Amino acid sequence: MSHARNSSEVKPSSHPLSLKVLRSSESRLSKPELSHQNPLPRKTTPSLPTIDSRSALSYAAEDPDDSFALSPLLTLPSSFGVLHVGESFACTFCINGELSEGHQHRTVDGVQFTAKIQTPSQPQGLPLALDGVEQTETDGECLGYEESLSRIARFDLREEGTHIVQATVTYKDNHGSPDHAGSNEGQTRSFRKLYQFVAQQLLSVRTKAQAMPARAKRDDETAAAEYVLEAQIENVGNVEVVLQDVSLQPKSYFIARSMNVWDILQQFGHHLPLYDYTLSKMADNDTEMSDQDKIRARRLQKLASNSQPSNQQSFNSSNTDQTPSQEKPVGEPPKPKINITSANGNAVLPSPSNTAPQANPTTTSAPAPRSTSSTRSPSTNNPQDVGKSLEAFEDSTLAAVFRFTLNPNRTTDAHGHPLIVLNGLRTDLEESQRPVRLTTDILGDAIIEAASESGKATPIEYLLGCWKRVSRLWRTHRSNDSTDPKLAIVKEARRMCMSNCIFAVTMPEMFGQDTPQSNLLTPHLLQEPDSEKGVCHEFLQEAVSRFDDDDSVKVILVEAMEQLSQELATKSMNDNYKPYVLAMRGYARFPQLVKALSESDKFLPPNVPAQEIETRTLLGPFFRISPLQGEVAVNYFSSPKTRDRASIVNSQNALRMTLQQHQTELFDIIDRFIKSSKESREKTLDWFALCVNQNHKRRAMRPDPRYLSSHGLMVNLTIVLDMLSEPFMDASFSKIHRIEPEYFRRSPRVDISDETKLNADQATSDAFYAQKAEGTSSFISEIFFLTVAAHHYGTEAANTGLSRMRKDIKLMEQEMQKFEEERKKYLDNPFVLARFDEQLKRFKDRAEKGHCEFLSLEGILLDELSQARSMSFMRYVIVWLMRLASGVEFPKQTPSLPLPSDQPDLVKCLPEYFLEDVVDHFKFVTGHMPHVISPTQCDELIMICITFLRSSDYVRNPYLKSGLVSILFYGTLQTRQHSKGVLGDVLNALPFALKHLLHALMQFYIECESTGAHTQFYDKFNIRYEIFQVIKTIWSNVVYREQLDQQAKTNSDFFIQFVNMLLNDVTYVLDESFTSFNKISTLSRELEQLQGQLDETQKQEKQEALDEAQNKARSYMQLTNESVATLKLFTEALSDAFTSPEVVHRLASMLDYNLESLVGPKQRELKVNNPQEYGFNPKTLLADIMDVYLNLASKPNFHQAIAKDGRSYKPANFDAAAQILGRFGLKSAEELRRWNNLKQKADVARREIEAEDEQMEDAPDEFMDPLMAELMTDPVILPASSTTVDRSTIRQHLLSDPHDPFNRAPLKIEDVREDTELKQKIDEWRKEKRAERLNRMDTSTT
């Protein structure tokens, strides 16, 4: 409850409430004294006013003449005083209403009071119990004029060190009428007060134990070891303590009995009187409070020593050397004794101490030198001179370091630096009759006063400057003898400076500063480390050394870096970001600090979405810094349309240099996080895993950047992981066996649950990974698999993004051109024109920004250094994959192809992106910067491409296999240094390629007929175009041609299937090309002839149709040229294969049809303007088709096939072709002669066929092929439909469709059965018809 309070205590305040605190102490530790009070004068003169004597008293006496009534006021201690571990600390908080009489309408209600105490082990604070009730029970209290509210708090002190009581008052300030009290209209306000005290150790207990000799046991006893435990209690404080009881509380598995004399007598019934035992500590001087302690008491003991020497040493341990601060100037210190006395002061038992325990001084003082030879002070034989010299050194050193003085007349030092005059401390020294000079004993008070009065500089700024000076002094004296008293002075000054730096950050109220909203150390981390206001390496080193003693140091350093990280999250590479990175690098040099950062809640907060990783995690802001940030890209590439290529390249080079430096700094930070401790290493790996696992959608078809991490963060992440992988990527692959294939079965960090597997469906994959493997993965495995995933979601996703941005820019430029053409429509309407121009400007700005981002991303991805590093890693991935799939020690051993049909489950269930990353990366490199590929990498790259193309059943995704072809294709493109590309020469020399390449390419040429996608019809042409290019590169090598001939003879079915696919493609692309040219010709004539008759809509429709036809013509003509060129090469080398019954008729028909189109009556339909624009050269195409004819001219069945083509074969076409090519000199006379011979042979064959057809016109229906309507020569029965067809017909059908043509049942050529009976009938019928023909010929001759 609130109660009235004397108004004389009211002090003005910015708050209508004030908070007072009083320690409730027992009389044995501090005694309150009666307040001195003078009586008021009696009224003896009429002129004097009448004064009521009770006005001088807090509580008036009943008798008004009682001038000496007892006052309730006591002289309170100026601080909490000295408290000891084991005491129950108690204090009273009083919240006072400070409103004056003129503010009766201003009320305060809703008063809430909370208190907590910070201990060395609990820097975050523990709540204090208030009067045994909950803290929130103070809610709703209303304090008016001269009212107060009291609460008592208690806390048991269990550890030594600095304790801080933090009291917070929250209330609602109502400025209106009293009717508004308790409403929600008031302003909620709060304030906080801090009170500091030091808990010291009072009693120290030391023990020693020894085993007792074994004694004889009775039969009913069990053997048990016995020990004697001797305990010594020492008073390490400065006050006397009364012991009421000493007892031992053993663990449950021990039985203890006392061996003390008084305890033993009590056990046998002898009752001794109760005694109080007093434990005293002997000292050199009396036990009265020293002058130093009096000064510290007056200043609330704001500063105290952080370090207390341990007293927990064994009795029988030898005395250790004491530090200089613990030594006495002369002689040995007297041995402390334990005196146990009764209440009347008689001795009962002497102290059992047998050795002198080490002293435990509570303050540090500078010792006098032992001898002149052990110090660097001036040599003298007079001890007084030595002391005076040391005192002068102490005074001048402290003044120079902290730039303060006790002399009010001295305002600057010898160098002109301003000095702070310590008037308050000088007054205290004079009042206590102490020498007015600076010593380490009063250094704490001096620092507090100086930091509080440092002018414009904040306390931490002032103290950081002091730290720089004392550190330089420390480095100078550090090499001195450890007993040098000057070193002790500098050491103590350095320690006190650091302690106050910590206090200035954690408790700025101690120096008269308001509680800040942010960490006061943060801005100083951004300063130059060697500047006066910067945080240097030695500062962090000293701060880290205090982690074990003071957890608050760790807290402020971690909070400062967290705040730096949050600030950096709002900056870009255009801003001054380097100080933030340097600050983190400075932190990373200290393993303890790195561990503390990794334990921060912000290092790896839970449930962080991908788009917030770079702003909410501790490391994210450092990794997001990149030239890929939009405003940075615009800064590098402003006005990209008006800049030449050289200027853009220079900007990209500058961009790369900046990013390389930043990535090197990021690697240095991460490398130290990895190496500092196991905890920080695991947390760092978890952060990497978070980045890759949360960004799976970066590889989606249409990723939304709003919900994903940026390219900048992911590219930096990938590069840093590449650099972490370098130590185990040696040229001999000596550590590759440490990359464990079982990684994904051991609770991996990398999440692959939603990833497509190499050759397994989801159910198979889930079942496989459900079987967990034993053991834990090595660090090398963690880095390897994280790096592979980072490439997939990082740089490879950025490569895809680059292609997407290129298309977007092209589309935006087209749209912009349309907009500009529309502008003329609004010239007559200024208002609409202004709006149109405004929107057009926005569109142009967006397009320009997109172009800048494209150039920036291109510059980063074309960085040769990072690409070379990534290629080295990808080489390791290739070797690891090849070893896993083949089971041999690749590349020392060459795998046998095809790979075993029993594919290992580890390979089947491996994420598809392992091979996809290799494909995408080398596609990008071979397509943009092939010169960075080394010869060794070429060998391994070709071998993995051939391996998985030859063993295509190991990879389920056809587009992934097509990527392997793309690598070979881009590798054979001509460059400045290589006429056949970077892979061409290797393809013609590598034994593995000579043996397997051609078969692998032909096999995939057949397989790509069906990819499973809706675009498969068009995809196969793109794939086969790349295969044609690779074949052209290697065709000059005779080894490949010999191998092709061998394939045609030994594996005829496979080769015929390949030839059939080739013919299908040539037929289709030629037909589509000619159709497109016909359409282009027609539409061009219509647009030209009907120009004035078409409206805008009709004209636009025809123009769009013309554009579409032109695009198709370009694409198909490119494929036509390559297909015909390939057909020309293959028919030259393998004429027998192309004249087999299964393909020869289709080949002859295709050639005749295209010859008819080029030289027949319809050739006018192919005439277009600028045919070279489409890659169309009719004369060259005609010459290539003639070459195919001539390659097969020696085969009789080819002559017959030409002659059988009743649709397109015309001898006149042969004559027209010879005339055209001869006139333009595209064929030699010899070639034209052979061409004419072929025409004649085909004409002879035509006449023979016509004569034979006349005889076969009456053939029975059962002899005719149901599909081709021709007389069968080799009839076979289809097993599923039981239909009889000719063998050549069904073979030709199965080349394109593996089903029975009559019922769609699966069918292979091996499944058909010969119809021998029907074949015999057909043969006999043919003989009869041939005999009849001969008889008619003989008759006609006769």
Side-chain angles (χ1 to χ4, degrees):
M1 295 294 294
S2 60
H3 56 273
R5 186 179 58 87
N6 193 327
S7 61
S8 63
E9 298 182 14
V10 177
K11 298 181 180 179
S13 173
S14 60
H15 291 273
L17 299 178
S18 65
L19 177 63
K20 306 295 182 183
V21 62
L22 171 67
R23 174 189 166 196
S24 303
S25 57
E26 299 181 11
S27 59
R28 64 187 179 92
L29 293 181
S30 62
K31 291 183 178 181
E33 300 176 357
L34 295 179
S35 174
H36 180 70
Q37 185 168 325
N38 294 321
L40 292 173
R42 295 181 180 274
K43 180 179 179 183
T44 57
T45 307
S47 61
L48 292 176
T50 302
I51 301 176
D52 191 343
S53 61
R54 290 175 296 179
S55 62
L57 305 176
S58 297
Y59 295 95
E62 293 296 335
D63 185 0
D65 293 331
D66 186 358
S67 302
F68 294 92
L70 179 64
S71 171
L73 295 180
L74 301 178
T75 301
L76 303 178
S78 59
S79 69
F80 283 164
V82 179
L83 289 92
H84 299 93
V85 176
E87 286 191 76
S88 179
F89 166 77
C91 64
T92 300
F93 299 95
C94 186
I95 308 171
N96 305 319
E98 301 291 355
L99 293 175
S100 62
E101 296 182 4
H103 296 82
Q104 285 84 353
H105 295 300
R106 182 183 179 187
T107 61
V108 176
D109 60 6
V111 179
Q112 180 180 352
F113 175 75
T114 57
K116 63 180 181 179
I117 185 169
Q118 298 179 13
T119 67
S121 63
Q122 297 290 338
Q124 71 276 11
L126 299 171
L128 287 176
L130 304 176
D131 289 344
V133 298
E134 296 294 332
Q135 297 190 21
T136 56
E137 290 189 11
T138 58
D139 293 351
E141 293 284 357
C142 181
L143 291 182
Y145 176 56
E146 295 187 352
E147 291 183 334
S148 63
L149 178 68
S150 299
R151 285 287 182 258
I152 299 177
R154 294 178 176 84
F155 183 77
D156 293 334
L157 301 177
R158 301 186 181 277
E159 54 184 318
E160 58 181 320
T162 302
H163 292 63
I164 301 173
V165 177
Q166 177 180 312
T168 304
V169 178
T170 305
Y171 62 93
K172 186 177 294 182
D173 190 358
N174 300 297
H175 294 273
S177 64
D179 297 337
H180 292 165
S183 68
N184 294 329
E185 297 181 5
Q187 178 185 5
T188 301
R189 304 180 64 188
S190 64
F191 62 91
R192 186 179 67 172
K193 290 290 186 70
L194 300 178
Y195 306 93
Q196 177 186 352
F197 62 90
V198 179
Q200 298 180 357
Q201 190 70 262
L202 183 60
L203 296 179
S204 173
V205 179
R206 294 183 294 170
T207 62
K208 69 176 182 179
Q210 60 184 15
M212 294 182 62
R215 61 182 179 87
K217 305 293 182 182
R218 298 194 307 269
D219 294 338
D220 57 346
E221 286 186 318
T222 58
E226 293 184 334
Y227 302 89
V228 175
L229 176 66
E230 183 178 356
Q232 182 182 17
I233 304 173
E234 179 186 359
N235 181 356
V236 295
N238 292 317
V239 296
E240 293 185 350
V241 180
V242 178
L243 296 180
Q244 295 180 348
D245 182 39
V246 178
S247 61
L248 177 66
Q249 297 179 353
K251 295 288 186 181
S252 59
Y253 40 81
F254 280 105
I255 299 176
R257 64 177 183 272
S258 175
M259 299 184 67
N260 298 308
V261 175
W262 50 90
D263 292 333
I264 295 174
L265 292 176
Q266 288 180 353
Q267 292 176 8
F268 288 93
H270 297 276
H271 299 285
L272 296 178
L274 295 177
Y275 289 95
D276 289 333
Y277 305 102
T278 301
L279 186 64
S280 302
K281 175 184 176 184
M282 301 298 294
D284 293 334
N285 48 18
D286 56 28
T287 59
E288 295 181 359
M289 184 178 289
S290 64
D291 294 336
Q292 171 193 346
D293 293 332
K294 291 178 181 179
I295 294 174
R296 290 179 180 273
R298 282 194 294 268
R299 293 184 175 275
L300 305 180
Q301 290 193 356
K302 293 181 178 177
L303 185 64
S305 172
N306 286 335
S307 60
Q308 295 289 344
S310 174
N311 292 292
Q312 306 299 326
Q313 64 181 37
S314 175
F315 284 0
N316 54 7
S317 63
S318 60
N319 293 332
T320 58
D321 295 336
Q322 297 183 355
T323 62
S325 61
Q326 295 171 328
E327 294 180 0
K328 297 297 180 181
V330 181
E332 295 293 332
K335 298 178 180 179
K337 298 180 180 179
I338 300 178
N339 298 323
I340 304 178
T341 61
S342 63
N344 58 11
N346 297 325
V348 177
L349 193 67
S351 172
S353 175
N354 57 2
T355 61
Q358 182 177 346
N360 181 28
T362 58
T363 60
T364 305
S365 61
R370 293 184 176 180
S371 65
T372 57
S373 61
S374 63
T375 66
R376 295 180 182 267
S377 59
S379 178
T380 178
N381 294 325
N382 190 341
Q384 294 181 354
D385 293 339
V386 174
K388 182 177 180 180
S389 174
L390 187 59
E391 291 173 356
F393 172 81
E394 184 177 29
D395 181 77
S396 61
T397 298
L398 297 180
V401 167
F402 295 97
R403 289 181 181 172
F404 50 44
T405 180
L406 294 172
N407 185 357
N409 297 323
R410 185 184 177 195
T411 58
T412 60
D413 61 8
H415 301 284
H417 300 120
L419 299 178
I420 301 173
V421 181
L422 306 176
N423 293 318
L425 181 59
R426 178 183 179 87
T427 302
D428 292 336
L429 291 174
E430 291 173 347
E431 289 179 357
S432 60
Q433 299 180 354
R434 293 189 63 188
V436 182
R437 65 178 181 84
L438 296 172
T439 64
T440 55
D441 295 341
I442 62 172
L443 182 57
D445 303 286
I447 293 176
I448 292 176
E449 182 174 348
S452 303
E453 301 176 2
S454 55
K456 295 182 180 180
T458 62
I460 185 61
E461 290 176 356
Y462 163 74
L463 290 167
L464 285 174
C466 298
W467 174 261
K468 299 296 191 307
R469 294 186 288 274
V470 77
S471 295
R472 288 193 292 267
L473 194 61
W474 167 255
R475 289 193 294 269
T476 303
H477 289 78
R478 187 167 50 182
S479 59
N480 294 358
D481 187 357
S482 60
T483 60
D484 186 356
K486 293 183 179 180
L487 178 62
I489 293 171
V490 177
K491 181 179 180 181
E492 177 64 9
R494 187 172 181 268
R495 186 188 68 81
M496 294 293 289
C497 184
M498 172 55 68
S499 298
N500 280 275
C501 286
I502 296 171
F503 291 148
V505 177
T506 58
M507 294 180 293
E509 300 91 345
M510 188 174 178
F511 301 90
Q513 302 290 314
D514 295 332
T515 303
Q517 297 297 324
S518 59
N519 193 301
L520 293 176
L521 194 62
T522 302
H524 300 284
L525 291 172
L526 300 178
Q527 302 288 332
E528 286 292 333
D530 295 331
S531 66
E532 287 289 316
K533 298 180 181 180
V535 176
C536 61
H537 174 78
E538 289 183 336
F539 181 92
L540 292 176
Q541 188 176 29
E542 178 64 20
V544 170
S545 68
R546 299 188 176 206
F547 275 11
D548 295 335
D549 298 328
D550 189 355
D551 287 343
S552 64
V553 181
K554 182 190 301 184
V555 172
I556 62 173
L557 289 178
V558 173
E559 285 180 351
M561 185 51 64
E562 289 175 348
Q563 186 171 333
L564 279 184
S565 177
Q566 291 301 308
E567 291 180 7
L568 184 59
T570 63
K571 299 185 180 299
S572 69
M573 192 167 274
N574 285 344
D575 302 312
N576 188 19
Y577 70 94
K578 291 195 177 227
Y580 295 86
V581 180
L582 293 177
M584 176 60 87
R585 291 186 69 187
Y587 267 47
R589 297 176 67 181
F590 302 95
Q592 288 178 281
L593 193 50
V594 169
K595 181 181 178 183
L597 289 176
S598 66
E599 294 171 350
S600 166
D601 293 337
K602 293 186 178 180
F603 188 87
L604 202 66
N607 303 322
V608 182
Q611 69 272 19
E612 296 181 6
I613 290 176
E614 51 197 86
T615 56
R616 285 182 53 191
T617 63
L618 187 68
L619 294 176
F622 295 90
F623 276 78
R624 75 184 289 269
I625 294 295
S626 169
L628 296 178
Q629 294 167 298
E631 61 274 18
V632 181
V634 173
N635 186 42
Y636 271 100
F637 304 99
S638 58
S639 302
K641 287 292 190 71
T642 61
R643 303 176 66 173
D644 57 6
R645 186 59 189 173
S647 175
I648 291 175
V649 170
N650 289 336
S651 297
Q652 288 180 335
N653 289 334
L655 174 149
R656 284 193 283 264
M657 291 178 62
T658 303
L659 184 59
Q660 286 173 6
Q661 182 180 2
H662 179 59
Q663 289 170 346
T664 302
E665 293 171 339
L666 289 177
F667 168 72
D668 180 65
I669 293 171
I670 293 300
D671 187 52
R672 293 180 184 273
F673 268 80
I674 293 292
K675 295 178 179 178
S676 292
S677 65
K678 179 181 179 181
E679 293 79 6
S680 62
R681 179 175 68 248
E682 296 298 314
K683 281 295 188 69
T684 305
L685 294 178
D686 289 340
W687 184 79
F688 283 138
L690 172 70
C691 293
V692 297
N693 292 334
Q694 291 292 84
N695 281 285
H696 282 199
K697 292 185 178 180
R698 280 176 56 85
R699 296 311 303 267
M701 293 296 294
R702 292 179 178 86
D704 191 341
R706 296 176 300 172
Y707 305 105
L708 299 171
S709 297
S710 64
H711 284 317
L713 180 138
M714 296 303 294
V715 169
N716 287 338
L717 182 81
T718 306
I719 297 302
V720 169
L721 281 169
D722 278 340
M723 298 170 76
L724 286 174
S725 303
E726 286 181 337
F728 62 83
M729 292 192 305
D730 56 330
S732 61
F733 305 100
S734 62
K735 298 180 181 179
I736 199 170
H737 65 280
R738 298 178 64 181
I739 301 174
E740 299 148 323
E742 299 287 351
Y743 172 81
F744 288 114
R745 299 174 66 192
R746 293 177 177 168
S747 301
R749 284 185 167 88
V750 180
D751 180 18
I752 61 169
S753 57
D754 60 347
E755 287 295 335
T756 305
K757 305 307 184 292
L758 203 58
N759 196 24
D761 56 24
Q762 191 66 38
T764 304
S765 172
D766 292 343
F768 175 73
Y769 287 117
Q771 304 172 5
K772 297 298 181 182
E774 297 181 354
T776 57
S777 299
S778 65
F779 174 73
I780 290 180
S781 295
E782 293 281 6
I783 291 295
F784 176 79
F785 288 100
L786 280 171
T787 308
V788 174
H791 272 276
H792 185 61
Y793 304 114
T795 53
E796 305 311 326
N799 291 342
T800 305
L802 184 69
S803 302
R804 190 182 300 112
M805 290 171 68
R806 184 182 289 110
K807 295 178 182 178
D808 292 343
I809 291 173
K810 185 176 181 181
L811 290 175
M812 292 182 75
E813 290 177 348
Q814 293 175 354
E815 291 297 323
M816 194 183 308
Q817 184 177 0
K818 292 180 181 179
F819 287 159
E820 291 176 345
E821 292 174 355
E822 293 287 327
R823 187 177 185 276
K824 59 184 178 181
K825 296 181 180 181
Y826 309 106
L827 294 177
D828 297 333
N829 192 332
F831 177 76
V832 177
L833 181 63
R835 295 289 302 273
F836 182 86
D837 289 341
E838 181 182 354
Q839 295 297 326
L840 182 60
K841 183 179 183 303
R842 291 181 182 176
F843 190 82
K844 287 183 177 179
D845 292 342
R846 189 163 67 250
E848 180 177 344
K849 182 179 180 181
H851 199 175
C852 293
E853 291 175 352
F854 169 80
L855 293 174
S856 181
L857 181 57
E858 181 187 51
I860 290 175
L861 294 179
L862 294 181
D863 180 13
E864 294 187 6
L865 177 62
S866 61
Q867 289 292 355
R869 187 182 291 117
S870 296
M871 286 175 58
S872 297
F873 177 79
M874 286 301 167
R875 181 191 178 201
Y876 230 70
V877 176
I878 289 173
V879 173
W880 186 79
L881 276 175
M882 290 290 288
R883 291 191 177 195
L884 192 63
S886 65
V888 301
E889 195 173 343
F890 181 83
K892 294 180 181 178
Q893 299 175 351
T894 303
S896 300
L897 296 186
L899 295 175
S901 58
D902 187 12
Q903 185 177 358
D905 290 337
L906 282 171
V907 180
K908 282 183 179 180
C909 299
L910 203 63
E912 191 178 79
Y913 64 68
F914 271 76
L915 186 58
E916 185 180 1
D917 285 355
V918 174
V919 170
D920 290 346
H921 183 76
F922 281 99
K923 276 175 60 177
F924 182 84
V925 173
T926 53
H928 294 85
M929 44 199 312
H931 56 278
V932 301
I933 304 179
S934 66
T936 306
Q937 292 170 336
C938 291
D939 292 355
E940 292 151 357
L941 183 60
I942 289 173
M943 293 179 78
I944 192 173
C945 291
I946 295 174
T947 298
F948 285 103
L949 287 174
R950 183 68 177 85
S951 303
S952 58
D953 53 338
Y954 270 53
V955 182
R956 188 169 56 171
N957 186 351
Y959 292 101
L960 189 55
K961 290 181 281 189
S962 71
L964 299 172
V965 175
S966 297
I967 292 177
L968 299 176
F969 165 68
Y970 286 117
T972 56
L973 294 180
Q974 183 177 358
T975 65
R976 293 181 180 179
Q977 294 82 9
H978 304 88
S979 59
K980 295 183 179 181
V982 294
L983 300 181
D985 293 337
V986 183
L987 290 173
N988 283 298
L990 186 66
F992 189 82
L994 294 174
K995 184 177 181 181
H996 301 291
L997 174 61
L998 199 56
H999 187 282
L1001 292 175
M1002 294 169 61
Q1003 177 177 325
F1004 190 60
Y1005 187 99
I1006 297 171
E1007 291 179 0
C1008 71
E1009 179 71 19
S1010 176
T1011 62
H1014 67 281
T1015 58
Q1016 63 179 8
F1017 185 78
Y1018 303 99
D1019 293 337
K1020 67 178 182 180
F1021 291 112
N1022 296 327
I1023 296 171
R1024 289 169 176 171
Y1025 171 79
E1026 294 180 349
I1027 292 176
F1028 293 153
Q1029 296 300 316
V1030 178
I1031 291 176
K1032 285 171 61 178
T1033 302
I1034 63 176
W1035 193 254
S1036 59
N1037 192 330
V1038 66
V1039 176
Y1040 282 111
R1041 294 201 299 272
E1042 292 175 355
Q1043 186 186 90
L1044 187 64
D1045 183 58
Q1046 185 68 22
Q1047 286 281 346
K1049 293 178 180 178
T1050 59
N1051 196 357
S1052 60
D1053 291 341
F1054 169 79
F1055 189 78
I1056 289 174
Q1057 190 176 9
F1058 168 75
V1059 170
N1060 181 70
M1061 295 292 181
L1062 178 61
L1063 292 179
N1064 289 342
D1065 289 349
V1066 174
T1067 302
Y1068 177 81
V1069 295
L1070 274 170
D1071 185 60
E1072 288 294 321
S1073 299
F1074 292 164
T1075 302
S1076 298
F1077 290 134
N1078 187 6
K1079 191 173 183 179
I1080 292 171
S1081 178
T1082 302
L1083 289 171
S1084 298
R1085 280 197 310 271
E1086 290 178 357
L1087 287 172
E1088 183 178 354
Q1089 295 173 1
L1090 304 176
Q1091 186 173 5
Q1093 304 176 18
L1094 300 175
D1095 57 21
E1096 287 294 331
T1097 303
Q1098 293 174 333
K1099 184 177 179 181
Q1100 183 177 355
E1101 289 177 354
K1102 289 189 177 295
Q1103 184 63 47
E1104 290 176 354
L1106 178 60
D1107 293 340
E1108 181 181 0
Q1110 290 174 339
N1111 291 332
K1112 288 181 63 175
R1114 293 187 188 94
S1115 300
Y1116 284 120
M1117 200 62 227
Q1118 186 180 27
L1119 292 171
T1120 297
N1121 293 331
E1122 296 301 329
S1123 300
V1124 173
T1126 304
L1127 181 63
K1128 177 180 172 182
L1129 294 177
F1130 275 72
T1131 54
E1132 180 184 11
L1134 303 167
S1135 58
D1136 291 339
F1138 281 90
T1139 55
S1140 62
E1142 293 83 358
V1143 297
V1144 66
H1145 293 287
R1146 294 185 62 243
L1147 175 60
S1149 298
M1150 182 270 296
L1151 293 173
D1152 291 342
Y1153 175 79
N1154 289 290
L1155 182 64
E1156 168 79 8
S1157 300
L1158 289 172
V1159 301
K1162 296 183 179 180
Q1163 62 175 304
R1164 293 187 181 89
E1165 297 177 356
L1166 302 181
K1167 290 185 178 181
V1168 294
N1169 297 326
N1170 301 321
Q1172 63 276 6
E1173 179 183 350
Y1174 311 102
F1176 179 42
N1177 190 332
K1179 292 183 286 294
T1180 302
L1181 181 59
L1182 179 61
D1184 289 340
I1185 290 178
M1186 181 181 285
D1187 287 337
V1188 176
Y1189 274 107
L1190 295 177
N1191 290 338
L1192 306 175
S1194 61
K1195 304 297 180 181
N1197 55 349
F1198 181 61
H1199 307 156
Q1200 295 178 356
I1202 294 174
K1204 274 190 174 183
D1205 181 17
R1207 182 187 66 167
S1208 303
Y1209 167 65
K1210 296 180 179 63
N1213 292 337
F1214 281 74
D1215 296 335
Q1219 182 181 0
I1220 294 172
L1221 297 179
R1223 184 170 70 246
F1224 289 97
L1226 296 177
K1227 290 298 176 183
S1228 64
E1230 174 61 23
E1231 289 173 322
L1232 293 176
R1233 185 189 63 77
R1234 292 174 57 205
W1235 176 255
N1236 188 54
N1237 290 339
L1238 176 61
K1239 183 195 73 169
Q1240 294 175 0
K1241 292 178 181 178
D1243 189 57
V1244 171
R1246 180 180 62 81
R1247 290 195 297 270
E1248 293 178 353
I1249 292 173
E1250 289 176 351
E1252 185 175 355
D1253 289 344
E1254 290 177 0
Q1255 296 179 0
M1256 303 300 174
E1257 288 180 354
D1258 57 345
D1261 291 341
E1262 63 175 327
F1263 295 173
M1264 304 300 291
D1265 185 279
L1267 293 178
M1268 303 300 294
E1270 295 179 351
L1271 183 66
M1272 292 185 289
T1273 58
D1274 187 9
V1276 293
I1277 301 174
L1278 307 183
S1281 61
S1282 299
T1283 305
T1284 301
V1285 296
D1286 193 76
R1287 185 184 298 273
S1288 62
T1289 302
I1290 194 62
R1291 283 179 67 93
Q1292 184 176 348
H1293 170 79
L1294 292 178
L1295 291 176
S1296 303
D1297 187 359
H1299 298 90
D1300 189 321
F1302 298 99
N1303 62 2
R1304 306 304 299 163
L1307 179 65
K1308 295 181 180 179
I1309 191 63
E1310 295 85 2
D1311 299 334
V1312 301
R1313 303 191 310 271
E1314 292 186 3
D1315 193 342
T1316 54
E1317 181 179 355
L1318 181 60
K1319 183 177 183 344
Q1320 184 178 359
K1321 292 180 179 179
I1322 293 174
D1323 290 342
E1324 291 176 353
W1325 185 85
R1326 290 174 66 90
K1327 288 180 182 179
E1328 293 177 0
K1329 289 296 181 180
R1330 191 174 293 110
E1332 292 177 1
R1333 179 187 176 192
L1334 291 175
N1335 291 333
R1336 285 197 301 269
M1337 292 177 62
D1338 293 340
T1339 303
S1340 62
T1341 303
T1342 304

